[in-house]
Amino acid sequence: MFIFKKWLVCVLLLPLFVLAEPDVQLAKVYSDDTQIQDYLVSEKYDGIRGIWTGSELLTRQGNVINAPSWFTEKLPPVWLDGELWSKRNDFAYIMSTVSKQVPIDSEWRNIYYMVFDAPDKARLFTFYERYQRYTAIVTDLNLPHVLPVEQFSVNTTDELNKLLSSYTDKGAEGLMLQRKLARFESGRTDNLLKLKPHMDAEAEVVEILKGSGKYQDVMGSLVVKMPSGLRFKIGTGFTDAERENPPKVGEIITYKYHGFTERGVPRFASYMRIRDTHF
């Protein structure tokens, strides 16, 4: 009887400890056959995804983001989607700041909540309507750390490429394209596209190779395995600190590349970061 009661208590309490993943839109990669006129375009912010449910700030995996109380206390009781971001080429700082269990106030003072969507499950707004909605909501908040992401209309591929170059030349990661008339749809669809001057992917570290020359006492390159099973080396993109303390075997890393060789190996692969499964 005691065992049954203990089991029943565990079952009743279990939902309190299970975090469901929030509904989020995920992007596919831009392709040349995209009808550009159907989309709104914005900068792609290289930060940490933050979903405000109306009462708490979550990662896209459903984990609580421990922001200071002042950061969220005036956010409205509506669903917002955005990116926690500081400045271009500052991902390591953003990750370090946002991932702490106990937030450091001085670090969060450099973080902005860049809002790019405000879906409403009760009303099926198009993205163009949601753009107007989140812009009005954020503007009314008048909070210096909460900003609406600006959207642009682009009519030709040439215009899009020029816009991409103008942003990436200033250090931006790339562009995002949102289908104007699309209703909110959770998961990965072509309603949301990402466009970057390079492609990126993930691979598992299977071996750490010692360096030579100036890197003789540290890591020289990683042998990684793609989901297909194909293995290849990545030897560039690392800081000196990362070479001294490289990703561990079994960890998943993100790398960037420019197309594939005839053998299917990512061309000019360069290390970006370790994937944090928490986010």
Side-chain angles (χ1 to χ4, degrees):
M1 188 67 172
F2 172 76
I3 295 176
F4 172 77
K5 288 182 177 179
K6 185 176 180 181
W7 173 85
L8 182 60
V9 169
C10 290
V11 170
L12 292 174
L13 289 179
L14 184 60
L16 299 176
F17 297 97
V18 176
L19 289 174
E21 292 187 11
D23 291 336
V24 293
Q25 292 194 134
L26 301 175
K28 288 190 174 182
V29 176
Y30 170 86
S31 62
D32 291 337
D33 60 354
T34 299
Q35 298 298 312
I36 300 169
Q37 304 93 324
D38 295 342
Y39 289 80
L40 289 175
V41 183
S42 64
E43 178 175 349
K44 185 180 189 304
Y45 292 93
D46 188 20
I48 299 296
R49 188 82 170 263
I51 294 92
W52 175 249
T53 67
S55 60
E56 59 183 346
L57 190 61
L58 303 178
T59 71
R60 76 180 197 184
Q61 280 77 25
N63 298 307
V64 174
I65 295 174
N66 296 297
S69 59
W70 60 263
F71 195 90
T72 59
E73 63 187 0
K74 293 184 179 180
L75 292 179
V78 299
W79 191 283
L80 297 175
D81 197 350
E83 201 83 1
L84 296 167
W85 182 81
S86 57
K87 61 182 180 181
R88 293 164 180 162
N89 297 311
D90 203 28
F91 183 82
Y93 175 87
I94 300 166
M95 173 63 79
S96 174
T97 299
V98 174
S99 63
K100 289 183 173 67
Q101 292 297 309
V102 179
I104 297 178
D105 192 82
S106 60
E107 295 180 351
W108 275 88
R109 294 290 176 184
N110 298 315
I111 299 294
Y112 298 92
Y113 188 29
M114 307 299 297
V115 176
F116 54 66
D117 206 348
D120 185 336
K121 294 181 180 179
R123 301 169 66 186
L124 297 178
F125 293 113
T126 65
F127 178 70
Y128 184 77
E129 293 170 328
R130 302 201 307 272
Y131 168 44
Q132 294 176 312
R133 181 171 186 253
Y134 79 67
T135 300
I137 290 171
V138 173
T139 300
D140 287 345
L141 287 175
N142 195 29
L143 296 173
H145 64 281
V146 184
L147 301 174
V149 171
E150 187 175 3
Q151 304 284 341
F152 305 93
S153 289
V154 176
N155 294 314
T156 67
T157 302
D158 186 54
E159 285 182 43
L160 184 65
N161 289 333
K162 287 179 179 177
L163 189 64
L164 177 65
S165 296
S166 69
Y167 273 90
T168 55
D169 286 349
K170 297 173 185 175
E173 187 186 23
L175 300 174
M176 299 298 297
L177 289 79
Q178 288 258 22
R179 195 187 300 274
K180 296 176 185 178
L181 299 182
R183 313 293 179 177
F184 180 86
E185 186 176 353
S186 183
R188 199 174 300 279
T189 73
D190 59 7
N191 291 334
L192 180 63
L193 304 173
K194 58 183 176 181
L195 172 61
K196 297 191 282 187
H198 59 76
M199 294 174 278
D200 59 50
E202 294 177 344
E204 179 185 353
V205 177
V206 295
E207 188 177 355
I208 300 171
L209 303 179
K210 188 175 180 180
S212 58
K214 68 176 182 178
Y215 297 133
Q216 64 180 354
D217 296 322
V218 295
M219 181 270 293
S221 61
L222 299 176
V223 178
V224 300
K225 182 174 67 174
M226 299 168 63
S228 65
L230 181 66
R231 300 186 180 200
F232 66 97
K233 293 181 184 179
I234 298 179
T236 62
F238 303 96
T239 64
D240 289 344
E242 288 166 340
R243 289 187 182 277
E244 292 174 1
N245 184 29
K248 299 177 177 62
V249 171
E251 287 189 311
I252 305 298
I253 67 160
T254 302
Y255 63 92
K256 61 183 178 181
Y257 64 102
H258 300 268
F260 296 93
T261 67
E262 292 182 0
R263 199 167 65 87
V265 175
R267 192 186 301 275
F268 308 122
S270 179
Y271 174 80
M272 294 178 68
R273 62 178 74 102
I274 297 173
R275 187 188 73 182
D276 192 321
T277 55
H278 182 81
F279 294 96

